[in-house]
Amino acid sequence: MRERRSLVPWRPALVGPWHVLFAGHLDNAASIAAELGLSAPLPGDGDGLARLYGAALAAWGPAADLRLIGEYATIALDAERGHLRLARSPLRAPPLHYHLADDRAIAASVPRAIFACGVPQQLDETKLADMAWFNASEEQRSWFVGLNRVPLGSTVEIERGGPARTRRYYDFSAIPRQPRASAAEYLEQANRLLAEGTRAALAGSSRPAVMLSGGLDSPLIALKVLEQRPDLARLNAYTIVPEPGWGGLDLPGRFTDERPLVEAFCRMHPRIAPQFIDNAEARMDDRLVAMFMAVGGAPQGLANLWTCHAAWDAARHDGCDRVLLGELGNLTVSESGSWGYSEYLLKLRWRQLYRALRTAPNDDRSLWRRFLALAVLPILPDRLWHWQERLRGRDHRYAAFSGLRPDYTAAQGVEARAIAAGLPNPRHPVRDRLATLREVHDNAWGEFSDIYHGFAQIHGIEQRDPTAYRPLVEFCAGLPTDMFLRDGQERWLARELLRGAMPEEQRLTTRTGRHNADWHAKIGRQREDFLRELDRLADNPRIAAMFDLDRARDALEDWPDSGAVSDAVRIACEVVVPRAIIMGRFVNYVEGRN
């Protein structure tokens, strides 16, 4: 039986005119408190953090959120003025929803709290359609009519009787370049900031755990935890691996089973105790309803991250109270530097360009074709870029992935909105150092913040990401290109930070891990159940008009003998079927049909 967990309510703190509610944590609470002449709140002291936030707001006004570092959402009410202020930190934050009507404003971290106040629960068709198309660019749009969301790095201010005014206070374009320094100095600074971010992520934790992969980011986190916590005799680590006999296809440039790499790394660091979780008995729809309740939506990542529940279960069973991730590593310390190909061309740095093209990872094209694809195409004007994408037949990738009916897509204007948001053809490689950060932050990270918040609610364990520590993010965003793409080696910074700390095969590999490689075995076990569910989904006119259920049914009925199949078959089985099931089940959940 799962242990019962006590509820932790938000309680308002009164600071001057402000009644403040605070969810999340502050990494620089001690320094902010000292600057304001206050006592620093202890980790996990929600009331103390609310009072500190209120004091910062009273002292610095709108500039407070730029001075505070952490992951948080706040509600502040000046009752006398009738002024409501909502805020979320940049990069990552707990979700924050609000409803505004003529006579009232309601704000909460989950939509169900707003519905409990009598607001009707009605799905927003536009949001539903866009999310099925993998378009999360309208971060302020809620899954429900009459609700809105506070975007990351933004505030929403509401005066009594007035409209909501949204202001994005955090601007990636304002991140300055780092002062000129040697590579050794940059490495030392990156190492220091990663240690600082890990120390902040560990604050208040007695038994942390890490989600450990065979890549670069999570091993860096694990090493920093060992460094910061010499008292830990054992650091629990959890790795998702494919189940035995998964029978799939190893894709070029990818590795499927991360166990050998993790085992070799842990042999070098015996304080790390790895556990390998294959989810052989898990179901793809595991805890979907719990996630719908926790998140108030069906974000696109649910089809990829369901296997993580077992790892969180294991961490809780082992008594861990904090899970550390390295999700923003690919945008910070282990950024590939893919914009460097174009930059080296524009700056006539021919030697660096030649070396980068010659060793471009997992690229078997001729040197001339690599030059065109990696250095020239990214700097084309948008119009020419989209023209060449259409010529190459790459315009309709999201149509294939989404499983939406073409007539529904056209009627809802889904593709037009996606193109206006830069989809389905995001530039790769990107054109400049901040493009990937902006794209992920504005088009996806809000949804993933919701999912992480859902995991924390469901499993009762806090999660932190040291690679999302804002000073580290801003430092990496301001580094020169050759700290990431140097002498033909991508991800140079992370590889140098790990020199001597992991096996060379792992440190230097250009292969990346592959999620859900054993989809054939896992979805195949539920094939008959899913066929029956598709029949039930077809009885809902909204779902039947939205999804090409016949395509999903054909994929299940013509189930391949193994996972070694063409991309078209794999997409139908691995992507379309789960997405139709998850989105359809969410619609039925909201409408009370489950």
Side-chain angles (χ1 to χ4, degrees):
M1 180 180 293
R2 182 168 294 182
E3 176 187 345
R4 290 179 63 86
R5 299 193 295 273
S6 60
L7 297 176
V8 181
W10 277 9
R11 292 178 294 178
L14 181 60
V15 183
W18 295 106
H19 290 80
V20 181
L21 294 166
F22 184 98
H25 65 271
L26 292 176
D27 296 327
N28 64 340
S31 62
I32 291 293
E35 195 170 349
L36 293 171
L38 303 172
S39 298
L42 296 173
D45 178 7
D47 291 343
L49 289 169
R51 286 192 293 271
L52 182 58
Y53 184 87
L57 187 59
W60 300 316
D65 292 293
L66 281 174
R67 300 180 71 157
L68 298 169
I69 297 170
E71 298 177 17
Y72 61 83
T74 67
I75 300 173
L77 172 66
D78 182 338
E80 185 174 339
R81 285 199 301 142
H83 183 94
L84 181 66
R85 184 182 189 275
L86 314 175
R88 289 178 78 202
S89 56
L91 302 176
R92 292 180 15 132
L96 189 54
H97 307 258
Y98 65 95
H99 164 77
L100 181 61
D102 292 338
D103 57 342
R104 62 180 178 174
I106 308 170
S109 57
V110 289
R112 65 180 184 273
I114 298 177
F115 300 140
C117 296
V119 176
Q121 181 175 269
Q122 178 186 347
L123 282 168
D124 183 297
E125 192 76 27
T126 298
K127 179 72 172 185
L128 199 66
D130 285 350
M131 290 301 294
W133 193 263
F134 306 94
N135 176 11
S137 61
E138 279 197 87
E139 191 182 352
Q140 194 161 356
R141 182 182 287 273
S142 167
W143 291 85
F144 301 96
V145 174
L147 271 64
N148 286 288
R149 308 194 310 171
V150 180
L152 290 171
S154 300
T155 60
V156 174
E157 302 202 49
I158 303 169
E159 301 282 354
R160 183 182 288 117
R165 300 189 307 276
T166 301
R167 180 179 70 91
R168 189 178 288 275
Y169 66 82
Y170 192 79
D171 181 7
F172 280 108
S173 301
I175 296 176
R177 292 191 177 274
Q178 290 297 314
R180 184 180 296 275
S182 67
E185 290 171 320
Y186 286 141
L187 282 166
E188 181 181 357
Q189 179 78 335
N191 196 45
R192 182 187 68 77
L193 287 171
L194 187 58
E196 192 176 284
T198 304
R199 187 163 55 250
L202 290 170
S205 170
S206 60
R207 190 167 184 181
V210 295
M211 296 297 167
L212 187 61
S213 75
L216 302 177
D217 304 312
S218 55
L220 267 172
I221 299 304
L223 292 175
K224 288 303 170 193
V225 173
L226 296 179
E227 176 188 296
Q228 297 296 316
R229 291 291 303 272
D231 59 304
L232 282 179
R234 171 190 174 100
L235 173 61
N236 288 59
Y238 304 93
T239 303
I240 307 296
V241 296
E243 62 181 78
W246 62 280
L249 184 67
D250 278 319
L251 299 177
R254 311 294 291 274
F255 54 80
T256 300
D257 189 350
E258 305 188 55
R259 180 191 293 262
L261 292 171
V262 170
E263 287 177 334
F265 174 72
C266 291
R267 282 195 292 271
M268 293 182 67
H269 306 281
R271 289 167 60 199
I272 302 176
Q275 289 189 43
F276 299 97
I277 297 168
D278 62 18
N279 287 284
E281 303 303 322
R283 293 173 57 89
M284 191 209 77
D285 50 356
D286 184 25
R287 279 170 274 204
L288 263 183
V289 171
M291 190 62 76
F292 294 158
M293 287 187 66
V295 172
Q300 53 215 34
L302 293 184
N304 298 326
L305 299 178
W306 66 271
T307 55
C308 298
H309 283 297
W312 285 67
D313 282 340
R316 181 164 179 79
H317 178 269
D318 294 338
C320 300
D321 60 1
R322 184 77 50 81
V323 169
L324 270 65
L325 313 166
E327 296 299 305
L328 248 66
N330 285 342
L331 304 176
T332 55
V333 289
S334 69
E335 168 64 70
S336 68
S338 64
W339 67 87
Y341 298 96
S342 296
E343 181 179 308
Y344 291 149
L345 170 63
L346 293 172
K347 292 186 175 181
L348 306 181
R349 296 183 63 183
W350 301 113
R351 183 179 179 183
Q352 284 294 330
L353 176 58
Y354 172 71
R355 288 184 170 185
L357 292 172
R358 188 186 61 185
T359 57
N362 308 310
D363 194 330
D364 58 2
R365 293 172 293 193
S366 68
L367 193 65
W368 177 247
R369 288 185 63 200
R370 290 183 210 174
F371 171 73
L372 290 175
L374 301 178
V376 177
L377 289 183
I379 56 178
L380 289 178
D382 286 342
R383 197 162 154 191
L384 287 177
W385 164 265
H386 289 296
W387 172 77
Q388 62 85 27
E389 286 285 282
R390 287 193 295 274
L391 282 183
R392 297 163 69 189
R394 299 179 64 184
D395 269 15
H396 302 293
R397 286 171 292 171
Y398 284 14
F401 293 160
S402 72
L404 291 179
R405 291 170 55 101
D407 55 344
Y408 175 88
T409 300
Q412 292 293 324
V414 173
E415 192 166 3
R417 286 194 300 275
I419 291 173
L423 300 169
N425 298 313
R427 289 175 178 262
H428 183 79
V430 293
R431 284 191 282 193
D432 62 76
R433 64 191 178 100
L434 299 177
T436 302
L437 264 176
R438 284 193 299 262
E439 177 188 326
V440 172
H441 188 269
D442 296 348
N443 191 52
W445 211 252
E447 303 297 331
F448 279 98
S449 284
D450 285 1
I451 291 175
Y452 295 134
H453 181 71
F455 267 89
Q457 286 188 77
I458 290 169
H459 296 279
I461 306 177
E462 286 187 284
Q463 49 79 32
R464 304 282 175 84
D465 182 356
T467 63
Y469 181 55
R470 206 175 91 202
L472 176 66
V473 174
E474 293 173 351
F475 170 77
C476 291
L479 286 175
T481 298
D482 56 11
M483 289 300 294
F484 303 106
L485 179 60
R486 188 186 192 93
D487 294 331
Q489 186 179 75
E490 289 190 351
R491 307 179 78 184
W492 186 85
L493 175 61
R495 298 186 201 280
E496 286 302 299
L497 289 173
L498 285 162
R499 184 179 288 277
M502 70 165 34
E504 284 294 277
E505 178 188 359
Q506 181 179 0
R507 189 179 77 89
L508 297 177
T509 185
T510 58
R511 296 186 302 156
T512 57
R514 181 185 173 201
H515 291 294
N516 299 333
D518 53 359
W519 60 268
H520 179 267
K522 287 182 164 52
I523 298 177
R525 274 197 298 274
Q526 294 184 253
R527 188 167 68 92
E528 295 299 328
D529 290 342
F530 286 163
L531 281 168
R532 287 189 288 271
E533 182 156 0
L534 289 175
D535 288 340
R536 293 193 295 272
L537 292 177
D539 291 335
N540 185 326
R542 180 200 291 268
I543 297 172
M546 182 178 183
F547 280 100
D548 188 348
L549 298 179
D550 288 339
R551 182 184 175 202
R553 169 172 282 283
D554 289 345
L556 290 169
E557 289 180 339
D558 298 332
W559 196 249
D561 294 331
S562 75
V565 295
S566 67
D567 274 352
V569 172
R570 180 186 61 80
I571 289 169
C573 297
E574 182 189 357
V575 183
V576 172
V577 168
R579 198 68 188 133
I581 294 291
I582 290 172
M583 293 289 280
R585 196 173 294 188
F586 174 65
V587 171
N588 279 341
Y589 163 79
V590 172
E591 296 180 346
R593 293 171 178 255
N594 284 358

